[in-house]
């Protein structure tokens, strides 16, 4: 279960500490899984919004 941070006021330092604490609590394998998951999400969002990969845009014919 992912912990949830609840603050009364906006406190950027406390948010950063919370994130770092969470990431440090993960194993190396969990960190890599999270990284791959987020990378796939970003690529999907880019493609959905019209930003394709360069190799999909440029196709040379000889």
């Amino acid at each position: 279960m992912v912990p949830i941070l609840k603050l009364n006021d906006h406190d950027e330092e406390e948010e950063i500490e919370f994130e770092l604490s969470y990431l440090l609590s993960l194993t190396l394998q969990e960190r890599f899984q999270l990284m791959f998951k987020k990378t796939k999400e970003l690529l999907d969002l880019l493609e959905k919004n019209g930003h394709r990969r360069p190799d999909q845009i440029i196709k040379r014919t000889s």
Side-chain angles (χ1 to χ4, degrees):
M1 183 167 111
V2 178
I4 298 174
L5 176 65
K6 293 184 182 179
L7 298 173
N8 290 332
D9 296 322
H10 177 72
D11 186 354
E12 189 171 341
E13 284 186 31
E14 195 168 341
E15 289 178 24
I16 292 171
E17 286 296 322
F18 178 79
E19 288 290 329
L20 289 175
S21 174
Y22 169 68
L23 291 173
L24 287 171
S25 73
L26 299 175
T27 66
L28 186 60
Q29 183 177 2
E30 289 171 331
R31 289 183 206 172
F32 273 98
Q33 287 174 342
L34 182 61
M35 180 184 67
F36 292 136
K37 178 183 172 188
K38 292 298 179 185
T39 300
K40 183 173 179 356
E41 286 178 14
L42 284 172
L43 290 173
D44 290 343
L45 279 173
L46 285 169
E47 189 171 339
K48 177 182 171 187
N49 291 305
H51 299 279
R52 296 178 293 178
R53 295 182 184 147
D55 63 339
Q56 293 173 328
I57 296 170
I58 300 171
K59 185 175 181 182
R60 297 177 187 244
T61 57
S62 298

